[in-house]
Amino acid sequence: MPVIELEVSPEVYERWRSFLGTTPAGRLKEAGKLDDWVALGFIANAERFLREGGPGQPVQNQEEVKQKEDAVARRKLNKPQKRVLPMFNENDCVSAGEIGRVLALSPEAAQAQVEAWLDEGFLSPGPMREGLPTYMLSNQWRVRNLAANRPSLNTPRVPLLMKPIRVEPE
């Protein structure tokens, strides 16, 4: 019978020794399949091991990576930004006055804060409303906020579960 020798790290060797003590390994030993099972498993997964860095590395899809990046970005927001962000859950555009009311700022201070956020890329200019400028989240923050706070936008709408209200004729 041919023999294959492998050089492994001490951690992998310990994992292998602990696996050999498990019930699945015992069943494979009894069936005489343990050696073949290991070799075939490695061959079947060699491409994935090379791509992902080995069998011990967790597999993360792109969506999980993006969600983690978005969560880290939201944690890095300063306190006023965190207080203003939920305003965009209901309205796409808000005015400097509305931001000032939420943050308890004077109109001048609110406008200065909005200008700073425009420069940072947190906000972008929105359409005019009643002759006053409005502001919306920048594209990157709009996507992050929608993904975190408005997941219902991606789900199908359910019709009202209530029966229609009947109006009695007079």
Side-chain angles (χ1 to χ4, degrees), residues 127-140:
M128 297 292 279
R129 183 179 359 143
E130 298 174 5
L132 297 172
T134 61
Y135 305 93
M136 51 197 318
L137 289 174
S138 65
N139 287 335
Q140 76 174 24

Side-chain angles (χ1 to χ4, degrees), residues 38-52:
V38 171
L40 292 173
F42 176 77
I43 292 168
N45 291 296
E47 259 186 59
R48 184 173 62 91
F49 294 162
L50 290 171
R51 184 176 61 248
E52 296 175 7

Side-chain angles (χ1 to χ4, degrees), residues 118-132:
L118 286 168
D119 293 339
E120 284 178 27
F122 179 66
L123 296 179
S124 61
M128 297 292 279
R129 183 179 359 143
E130 298 174 5
L132 297 172

Side-chain angles (χ1 to χ4, degrees), residues 60-154:
Q60 291 184 342
N61 63 26
Q62 293 295 339
E63 185 62 29
E64 289 174 351
V65 171
K66 183 171 179 350
Q67 287 176 356
K68 286 181 182 178
E69 289 173 354
D70 291 349
V72 167
R74 282 190 300 275
R75 281 194 297 271
K76 289 182 180 178
L77 290 175
N78 60 38
K79 199 170 190 173
Q81 288 171 325
K82 288 178 183 177
R83 289 183 59 202
V84 167
L85 193 60
M87 294 176 69
F88 295 98
N89 293 342
E90 299 298 323
N91 300 311
D92 290 332
C93 299
V94 296
S95 68
E98 293 166 336
I99 291 172
R101 280 191 291 278
V102 167
L103 298 178
L105 297 174
S106 67
E108 297 80 22
Q111 189 60 43
Q113 183 65 70
V114 166
E115 296 297 328
W117 287 344
L118 286 168
D119 293 339
E120 284 178 27
F122 179 66
L123 296 179
S124 61
M128 297 292 279
R129 183 179 359 143
E130 298 174 5
L132 297 172
T134 61
Y135 305 93
M136 51 197 318
L137 289 174
S138 65
N139 287 335
Q140 76 174 24
W141 279 105
R142 192 173 313 125
V143 171
R144 286 183 171 149
N145 195 45
L146 289 176
N149 299 325
R150 293 170 74 183
S152 62
L153 293 177
N154 300 325

